[in-house]
Coordinates of all heavy atoms in Angstrom, one line a residue:
M349 N 0.8 -1.2 0.0 CA 0.0 0.0 0.0 C 0.9 1.2 0.0 O 1.8 1.3 0.8 CB -0.9 0.0 1.3 CG -1.9 1.1 1.2 SD -3.1 1.0 2.6 CE -2.1 1.6 3.9
V350 N 0.5 2.2 -0.8 CA 1.3 3.4 -0.9 C 0.6 4.5 0.0 O -0.6 4.8 -0.2 CB 1.4 3.9 -2.3 CG1 2.1 5.3 -2.4 CG2 2.1 2.9 -3.2
T351 N 1.4 5.0 1.0 CA 0.7 5.9 1.9 C 1.4 7.3 1.7 O 1.0 8.2 2.4 CB 0.8 5.5 3.3 OG1 2.2 5.2 3.6 CG2 0.0 4.2 3.6
G352 N 2.4 7.4 0.9 CA 3.1 8.7 0.8 C 4.2 8.6 -0.1 O 4.5 7.5 -0.7
P353 N 5.0 9.7 -0.2 CA 6.2 9.6 -1.1 C 7.1 8.4 -0.6 O 7.1 8.1 0.5 CB 6.9 10.9 -0.8 CG 5.8 11.8 -0.3 CD 4.8 10.9 0.4
V354 N 7.8 7.8 -1.6 CA 8.6 6.6 -1.3 C 9.6 6.8 -0.3 O 10.0 5.8 0.4 CB 9.2 6.1 -2.6 CG1 8.2 5.4 -3.5 CG2 10.0 7.1 -3.4
N355 N 10.2 8.0 -0.1 CA 11.3 8.1 0.8 C 10.8 8.3 2.3 O 11.6 8.4 3.2 CB 12.2 9.3 0.5 CG 11.4 10.6 0.3 OD1 10.2 10.6 0.1 ND2 12.1 11.7 0.6
I356 N 9.5 8.3 2.5 CA 8.9 8.4 3.8 C 8.3 7.1 4.2 O 7.4 6.6 3.5 CB 7.9 9.5 4.0 CG1 8.5 10.8 3.5 CG2 7.4 9.6 5.4 CD1 7.5 11.9 3.3
S357 N 8.7 6.4 5.2 CA 8.2 5.1 5.6 C 6.8 5.3 6.2 O 6.5 6.3 6.9 CB 9.1 4.4 6.6 OG 9.0 5.0 7.8
S358 N 5.9 4.3 6.0 CA 4.6 4.4 6.5 C 4.6 4.4 8.1 O 3.7 5.0 8.7 CB 3.7 3.3 6.0 OG 4.3 2.1 6.3
E359 N 5.7 3.8 8.6 CA 5.8 3.8 10.1 C 6.0 5.3 10.6 O 5.4 5.7 11.6 CB 7.0 3.0 10.4 CG 7.1 2.7 11.9 CD 8.5 1.9 12.2 OE1 8.9 1.1 11.4 OE2 9.1 2.3 13.2
K360 N 6.8 6.0 9.9 CA 7.1 7.4 10.3 C 5.8 8.3 10.1 O 5.5 9.1 10.9 CB 8.2 8.1 9.5 CG 9.5 7.5 9.8 CD 10.5 8.6 10.1 CE 11.7 8.0 11.0 NZ 13.0 8.4 10.5
L361 N 5.1 8.0 9.0 CA 3.8 8.8 8.8 C 2.8 8.4 9.9 O 2.1 9.3 10.4 CB 3.2 8.4 7.5 CG 3.9 9.0 6.2 CD1 3.2 8.6 5.0 CD2 4.0 10.5 6.3
A362 N 2.8 7.2 10.3 CA 1.9 6.8 11.4 C 2.3 7.5 12.7 O 1.4 7.9 13.5 CB 1.9 5.3 11.6
Q363 N 3.6 7.5 12.9 CA 4.1 8.2 14.1 C 3.7 9.7 14.1 O 3.3 10.3 15.1 CB 5.6 8.1 14.2 CG 6.1 7.1 15.2 CD 7.6 7.1 15.2 OE1 8.2 6.5 14.3 NE2 8.2 7.7 16.2
G364 N 3.9 10.3 12.9 CA 3.5 11.7 12.7 C 2.1 12.0 13.0 O 1.7 13.0 13.6
K365 N 1.2 11.0 12.5 CA -0.2 11.2 12.8 C -0.5 11.1 14.3 O -1.3 12.0 14.8 CB -0.9 10.0 12.1 CG -2.4 10.0 12.2 CD -3.0 8.9 11.4 CE -4.5 9.0 11.2 NZ -5.3 8.6 12.3
T366 N 0.1 10.2 15.0 CA -0.1 10.1 16.4 C 0.3 11.4 17.1 O -0.4 11.9 18.0 CB 0.7 8.9 17.0 OG1 0.3 7.7 16.3 CG2 0.4 8.7 18.5
I367 N 1.5 11.9 16.8 CA 2.0 13.1 17.4 C 1.1 14.3 17.1 O 0.7 15.0 18.0 CB 3.5 13.4 16.9 CG1 4.4 12.3 17.3 CG2 3.9 14.8 17.5 CD1 5.8 12.3 16.6
F368 N 0.7 14.4 15.8 CA -0.3 15.4 15.4 C -1.5 15.4 16.3 O -1.9 16.4 16.8 CB -0.6 15.2 13.9 CG -1.6 16.2 13.4 CD1 -1.3 17.5 13.1 CD2 -2.9 15.7 13.0 CE1 -2.2 18.3 12.6 CE2 -3.8 16.5 12.5 CZ -3.5 17.9 12.3
E369 N -2.1 14.2 16.4 CA -3.4 14.1 17.1 C -3.2 14.3 18.6 O -4.1 14.9 19.2 CB -4.0 12.7 16.8 CG -4.5 12.5 15.4 CD -4.9 11.1 15.0 OE1 -4.6 10.2 15.8 OE2 -5.6 11.0 14.0
N370 N -2.1 13.9 19.1 CA -1.9 14.1 20.6 C -1.4 15.5 20.9 O -1.7 16.0 22.0 CB -0.9 13.1 21.1 CG -1.4 11.7 21.1 OD1 -2.6 11.5 21.1 ND2 -0.5 10.7 21.0
S371 N -0.7 16.2 20.0 CA -0.1 17.5 20.4 C -0.7 18.7 19.8 O -0.5 19.8 20.3 CB 1.4 17.5 19.9 OG 2.1 16.3 20.3
C372 N -1.4 18.5 18.7 CA -1.9 19.7 18.0 C -3.3 20.1 18.2 O -3.8 21.1 17.7 CB -1.6 19.5 16.5 SG 0.1 19.2 16.1
G373 N -4.0 19.3 19.1 CA -5.4 19.7 19.4 C -5.5 20.2 20.9 O -6.6 20.3 21.4
R374 N -4.4 20.4 21.5 CA -4.4 20.8 22.9 C -4.9 22.2 23.1 O -5.6 22.5 24.1 CB -3.0 20.6 23.5 CG -2.6 19.2 23.8 CD -1.7 19.1 25.0 NE -0.6 20.0 25.0 CZ 0.6 19.7 24.5 NH1 0.9 18.5 24.1 NH2 1.6 20.6 24.5
C375 N -4.4 23.1 22.3 CA -4.7 24.6 22.5 C -5.8 25.0 21.6 O -6.4 26.1 21.9 CB -3.5 25.4 22.2 SG -2.0 24.9 23.1
H376 N -6.1 24.3 20.5 CA -7.2 24.7 19.6 C -7.7 23.4 19.0 O -7.1 22.3 19.2 CB -6.7 25.6 18.5 CG -5.4 25.3 18.0 ND1 -5.1 24.1 17.3 CD2 -4.2 25.9 18.0 CE1 -3.8 24.1 16.9 NE2 -3.2 25.2 17.4
D377 N -8.8 23.4 18.2 CA -9.2 22.2 17.5 C -8.1 21.7 16.7 O -7.3 22.4 16.2 CB -10.4 22.5 16.7 CG -11.7 22.8 17.5 OD1 -11.7 22.4 18.7 OD2 -12.7 23.3 17.0
L378 N -8.1 20.4 16.4 CA -7.1 19.8 15.6 C -7.2 20.4 14.2 O -8.3 20.4 13.6 CB -7.4 18.3 15.5 CG -6.2 17.3 15.2 CD1 -5.1 17.6 16.2 CD2 -6.7 15.9 15.3
P379 N -6.2 21.0 13.7 CA -6.3 21.7 12.4 C -6.6 20.7 11.2 O -6.2 19.6 11.3 CB -5.0 22.4 12.2 CG -4.0 21.8 13.2 CD -4.8 21.1 14.2
E380 N -7.2 21.3 10.2 CA -7.5 20.5 9.0 C -6.3 20.6 8.0 O -6.1 21.7 7.5 CB -8.8 21.0 8.4 CG -9.3 20.2 7.2 CD -9.5 18.8 7.5 OE1 -10.3 18.5 8.4 OE2 -8.9 18.0 6.8
P381 N -5.6 19.5 7.7 CA -4.4 19.6 6.8 C -4.7 20.2 5.5 O -3.9 20.9 4.9 CB -4.0 18.1 6.6 CG -4.4 17.5 7.9 CD -5.7 18.1 8.3
T382 N -5.9 20.0 4.9 CA -6.3 20.5 3.6 C -6.6 22.0 3.6 O -6.7 22.6 2.5 CB -7.5 19.7 3.0 OG1 -8.5 19.8 3.9 CG2 -7.1 18.3 2.8
K383 N -6.7 22.6 4.7 CA -7.0 24.0 4.8 C -5.9 25.0 4.4 O -6.1 26.2 4.2 CB -7.5 24.4 6.2 CG -8.9 23.9 6.5 CD -9.9 25.0 6.5 CE -11.3 24.4 6.6 NZ -11.7 24.0 8.0
H384 N -4.6 24.4 4.4 CA -3.5 25.3 4.1 C -2.6 24.5 3.1 O -2.7 23.3 3.0 CB -2.6 25.5 5.4 CG -3.4 26.1 6.5 ND1 -3.6 27.4 6.7 CD2 -4.0 25.5 7.5 CE1 -4.4 27.7 7.7 NE2 -4.6 26.5 8.3
T385 N -1.9 25.3 2.3 CA -1.0 24.7 1.3 C 0.2 24.1 2.0 O 0.5 24.5 3.1 CB -0.5 25.7 0.3 OG1 0.4 26.7 0.9 CG2 -1.7 26.5 -0.4
S386 N 1.0 23.2 1.3 CA 2.1 22.6 1.9 C 3.2 23.7 2.2 O 4.0 23.6 3.1 CB 2.7 21.5 1.0 OG 2.8 21.9 -0.3
V387 N 3.2 24.8 1.4 CA 4.1 25.9 1.7 C 3.7 26.6 3.0 O 4.5 26.9 3.9 CB 4.2 26.9 0.5 CG1 5.0 28.1 0.9 CG2 4.8 26.2 -0.7
Q388 N 2.4 26.9 3.1 CA 1.9 27.5 4.4 C 2.2 26.7 5.6 O 2.5 27.2 6.6 CB 0.4 27.8 4.2 CG 0.0 28.9 3.3 CD -1.5 29.0 3.1 OE1 -2.2 28.0 2.9 NE2 -2.0 30.2 3.0
W389 N 2.1 25.4 5.4 CA 2.3 24.5 6.5 C 3.8 24.5 7.0 O 4.0 24.3 8.2 CB 1.9 23.0 6.2 CG 0.5 22.7 6.4 CD1 -0.5 22.4 5.5 CD2 -0.2 22.7 7.6 NE1 -1.7 22.3 6.1 CE2 -1.5 22.4 7.4 CE3 0.2 22.9 9.0 CZ2 -2.5 22.3 8.4 CZ3 -0.7 22.8 10.0 CH2 -2.1 22.5 9.7
V390 N 4.7 24.9 6.1 CA 6.1 25.0 6.6 C 6.2 26.1 7.7 O 6.7 25.9 8.8 CB 7.0 25.3 5.4 CG1 8.4 25.7 5.9 CG2 7.1 24.2 4.4
G391 N 5.5 27.3 7.4 CA 5.5 28.4 8.3 C 4.7 28.1 9.6 O 5.1 28.4 10.7
I392 N 3.6 27.4 9.4 CA 2.7 27.1 10.5 C 3.5 26.2 11.4 O 3.5 26.3 12.7 CB 1.4 26.5 10.1 CG1 0.5 27.5 9.3 CG2 0.6 25.9 11.2 CD1 -0.6 26.9 8.5
M393 N 4.1 25.1 10.8 CA 4.8 24.2 11.7 C 6.0 24.8 12.4 O 6.3 24.4 13.5 CB 5.2 22.9 10.9 CG 4.1 22.0 10.6 SD 3.3 21.3 12.1 CE 4.7 20.4 12.9
N394 N 6.7 25.8 11.7 CA 7.8 26.5 12.4 C 7.3 27.2 13.6 O 8.0 27.4 14.6 CB 8.5 27.4 11.4 CG 9.4 26.6 10.5 OD1 9.8 25.5 10.8 ND2 9.7 27.2 9.3
A395 N 6.0 27.7 13.5 CA 5.5 28.5 14.6 C 4.9 27.5 15.7 O 5.0 27.8 16.9 CB 4.3 29.4 14.2
M396 N 4.3 26.4 15.3 CA 3.6 25.5 16.2 C 4.5 24.4 16.8 O 4.2 24.0 18.0 CB 2.4 24.9 15.5 CG 1.4 25.8 15.1 SD 0.6 26.6 16.6 CE 0.3 28.3 15.9
A397 N 5.5 24.0 16.1 CA 6.4 22.9 16.7 C 6.9 23.3 18.1 O 6.9 22.4 19.0 CB 7.4 22.5 15.7
P398 N 7.5 24.5 18.2 CA 7.9 24.9 19.6 C 6.8 24.9 20.6 O 7.0 24.5 21.7 CB 8.6 26.3 19.4 CG 8.8 26.4 17.9 CD 7.7 25.5 17.2
K399 N 5.6 25.4 20.2 CA 4.5 25.4 21.1 C 4.2 24.0 21.6 O 3.8 23.8 22.7 CB 3.3 26.0 20.4 CG 3.3 27.5 20.3 CD 1.9 28.0 19.9 CE 1.8 29.3 19.2 NZ 2.1 30.4 20.2
A400 N 4.2 23.0 20.7 CA 3.9 21.7 21.0 C 5.1 20.9 21.5 O 5.0 19.7 21.8 CB 3.4 21.0 19.7
K401 N 6.2 21.6 21.7 CA 7.5 21.1 22.2 C 8.0 19.8 21.4 O 8.4 18.8 22.0 CB 7.3 20.7 23.7 CG 7.0 21.9 24.6 CD 7.1 21.6 26.0 CE 7.2 22.9 26.9 NZ 6.1 23.8 26.6
L402 N 7.9 20.0 20.1 CA 8.4 18.9 19.2 C 9.9 19.1 19.0 O 10.3 20.2 18.8 CB 7.6 18.9 17.9 CG 6.1 18.8 17.9 CD1 5.6 18.7 16.5 CD2 5.6 17.7 18.8
N403 N 10.6 17.9 18.9 CA 12.0 18.0 18.5 C 12.0 18.0 17.0 O 11.0 17.9 16.3 CB 12.9 16.9 19.1 CG 12.4 15.5 18.7 OD1 11.9 15.4 17.6 ND2 12.7 14.5 19.5
D404 N 13.2 18.2 16.4 CA 13.3 18.3 14.9 C 12.7 17.1 14.2 O 12.1 17.2 13.2 CB 14.8 18.5 14.5 CG 15.3 19.9 14.8 OD1 14.5 20.8 15.2 OD2 16.5 20.1 14.7
E405 N 13.0 15.9 14.8 CA 12.5 14.7 14.1 C 11.0 14.6 14.2 O 10.3 14.3 13.2 CB 13.1 13.5 14.8 CG 13.0 12.2 13.9 CD 13.3 10.9 14.7 OE1 13.6 11.0 15.9 OE2 13.2 9.9 14.1
Q406 N 10.4 15.0 15.3 CA 8.9 15.0 15.5 C 8.3 16.0 14.6 O 7.3 15.8 13.9 CB 8.6 15.2 16.9 CG 9.0 14.1 17.9 CD 8.9 14.5 19.3 OE1 9.1 15.6 19.7 NE2 8.4 13.6 20.2
H407 N 8.9 17.2 14.5 CA 8.5 18.3 13.6 C 8.4 17.8 12.2 O 7.4 17.9 11.5 CB 9.5 19.4 13.8 CG 9.2 20.6 12.9 ND1 9.8 21.9 13.2 CD2 8.5 20.8 11.8 CE1 9.4 22.7 12.3 NE2 8.6 22.1 11.4
Q408 N 9.5 17.1 11.7 CA 9.5 16.6 10.4 C 8.4 15.5 10.1 O 7.7 15.5 9.1 CB 10.9 16.0 10.1 CG 11.1 15.5 8.7 CD 11.1 16.6 7.7 OE1 11.9 17.5 7.8 NE2 10.3 16.5 6.6
M409 N 8.2 14.6 11.1 CA 7.3 13.6 10.9 C 5.8 14.1 10.8 O 5.0 13.7 10.0 CB 7.4 12.5 12.0 CG 8.6 11.7 11.9 SD 8.7 10.3 13.1 CE 8.8 11.1 14.6
V410 N 5.6 15.1 11.7 CA 4.2 15.7 11.7 C 4.0 16.4 10.3 O 3.0 16.3 9.7 CB 4.0 16.7 12.9 CG1 2.7 17.5 12.7 CG2 4.0 15.9 14.2
Y411 N 5.0 17.2 9.9 CA 4.9 17.9 8.6 C 4.7 16.9 7.5 O 3.8 17.1 6.6 CB 6.2 18.7 8.3 CG 6.0 19.4 7.0 CD1 5.3 20.6 6.9 CD2 6.7 18.9 5.8 CE1 5.1 21.2 5.6 CE2 6.5 19.6 4.6 CZ 5.7 20.7 4.5 OH 5.6 21.3 3.3
D412 N 5.5 15.8 7.4 CA 5.3 14.8 6.4 C 3.9 14.2 6.4 O 3.3 13.9 5.4 CB 6.4 13.7 6.5 CG 7.7 14.2 6.2 OD1 7.9 15.3 5.5 OD2 8.7 13.5 6.5
Y413 N 3.4 14.0 7.6 CA 2.1 13.4 7.8 C 1.0 14.4 7.2 O 0.2 14.0 6.4 CB 1.7 13.1 9.2 CG 0.3 12.9 9.4 CD1 -0.4 11.8 8.9 CD2 -0.5 13.9 10.1 CE1 -1.7 11.6 9.0 CE2 -1.9 13.7 10.2 CZ -2.5 12.6 9.7 OH -3.8 12.5 9.8
I414 N 1.1 15.6 7.6 CA 0.1 16.6 7.1 C 0.1 16.7 5.6 O -0.9 16.7 4.9 CB 0.5 18.0 7.7 CG1 0.1 18.0 9.2 CG2 -0.3 19.1 7.0 CD1 0.6 19.2 9.9
V415 N 1.3 16.7 5.0 CA 1.4 16.8 3.5 C 0.9 15.5 2.9 O 0.3 15.6 1.8 CB 2.9 17.1 3.1 CG1 3.0 17.1 1.6 CG2 3.2 18.5 3.6
S416 N 1.1 14.4 3.5 CA 0.6 13.1 2.9 C -0.9 13.1 3.0 O -1.5 12.5 2.0 CB 1.2 11.9 3.7 OG 0.5 11.7 4.9
V417 N -1.5 13.6 4.0 CA -3.0 13.7 4.0 C -3.5 14.4 2.9 O -4.5 14.1 2.2 CB -3.5 14.3 5.4 CG1 -5.0 14.5 5.3 CG2 -3.1 13.4 6.5
K418 N -2.9 15.6 2.5 CA -3.3 16.4 1.5 C -3.3 15.7 0.1 O -4.0 16.1 -0.8 CB -2.5 17.7 1.4 CG -2.7 18.6 2.6 CD -1.6 19.6 2.8 CE -1.4 20.5 1.5 NZ -2.7 21.3 1.2
K419 N -2.4 14.7 0.0 CA -2.2 14.1 -1.3 C -3.2 12.9 -1.5 O -3.3 12.4 -2.6 CB -0.8 13.5 -1.4 CG 0.2 14.6 -1.7 CD 1.6 14.0 -2.0 CE 2.6 15.1 -2.1 NZ 3.8 14.8 -1.4
Q420 N -4.0 12.5 -0.5 CA -4.9 11.4 -0.6 C -6.1 11.8 -1.3 O -6.5 12.9 -1.3 CB -5.2 10.8 0.8 CG -4.1 10.0 1.3 CD -4.2 9.7 2.8 OE1 -5.3 9.9 3.4 NE2 -3.2 9.2 3.4
Ligands
HEC841 C1 0.7 25.7 23.3 C2 -0.5 25.8 22.5 C3 -0.5 25.3 21.1 C4 -0.1 24.1 20.6 C5 0.4 22.9 21.4 C6 -0.3 24.1 19.2 N1 -0.8 25.3 18.8 FE1 -1.4 25.9 16.9 N2 -2.0 27.7 17.6 C7 -1.8 28.2 18.9 C8 -2.3 29.6 19.0 C9 -2.3 30.4 20.3 C10 -2.7 29.9 17.7 C11 -3.3 31.3 17.2 C12 -2.3 32.4 17.3 C13 -1.1 32.2 16.4 O1 -1.3 32.1 15.2 O2 0.0 32.2 16.9 C14 -2.5 28.8 16.9 C15 -2.8 28.7 15.5 C16 -2.7 27.6 14.7 C17 -3.1 27.5 13.3 C18 -3.7 28.6 12.5 C19 -2.6 29.4 11.8 C20 -3.2 30.3 10.7 O3 -2.3 31.0 10.1 O4 -4.4 30.3 10.5 C21 -2.8 26.3 12.9 C22 -3.0 25.7 11.5 C23 -2.1 25.6 14.0 N3 -2.1 26.4 15.1 C24 -1.6 24.3 13.9 C25 -1.0 23.6 14.9 C26 -0.3 22.4 14.8 C27 -0.1 21.6 13.5 C28 0.2 22.0 16.1 C29 1.0 20.8 16.4 C30 2.3 20.7 15.9 C31 -0.2 23.1 17.0 N4 -0.9 24.0 16.2 C32 0.0 23.1 18.3 C33 -1.4 27.4 20.0 C34 -0.9 26.1 19.9

């Protein structure tokens, strides 16, 4: 099953989804990935990753997950 770009493992995307669901709905409703472009998400994630206390790897996994949702 193809769940995203070939260089991203489905395991990492699943982890990104879990982090997204656990960390990104704490201060506001869980955002809708399709509401912003992948370029806008770069800026949003740069602002939100520190708020959610994500490290660089978690930040990347959440971003990859968000972009993968948009492609489905
Ligand atoms: C500590 C609280 C907090 C956490 C955790 C948090 N956010 Fe936010 N978020 C905010 C606040 C406050 C705003 C509105 C003010 C602002 O834009 O800074 C916001 C705004 C947003 C917006 C709207 C931006 C826009 O331009 O319309 C999006 C999308 C978003 N957050 C996504 C996320 C994602 C994704 C995560 C997880 C990585 C996350 N947030 C985690 C506090 C948080």
Side-chain angles (χ1 to χ4, degrees):
M349 189 175 77
V350 176
T351 53
V354 284
N355 56 334
I356 303 168
S357 71
S358 54
E359 191 187 321
K360 288 231 160 134
L361 288 179
Q363 258 182 282
K365 180 176 196 281
T366 302
I367 298 165
F368 175 73
E369 288 171 349
N370 290 337
S371 312
C372 302
R374 286 212 309 264
C375 304
H376 43 63
D377 288 346
L378 209 52
E380 184 56 59
T382 54
K383 287 253 170 74
H384 306 275
T385 68
S386 45
V387 173
Q388 287 172 320
W389 274 114
V390 172
I392 293 167
M393 282 304 295
N394 282 338
M396 294 297 146
K399 285 192 198 289
K401 300 194 164 48
L402 304 186
N403 64 29
D404 286 350
E405 195 192 2
Q406 292 168 323
H407 177 161
Q408 183 69 51
M409 289 190 293
V410 171
Y411 179 78
D412 289 342
Y413 163 69
I414 287 169
V415 173
S416 80
V417 170
K418 291 163 59 59
K419 286 187 183 135
Q420 281 167 12

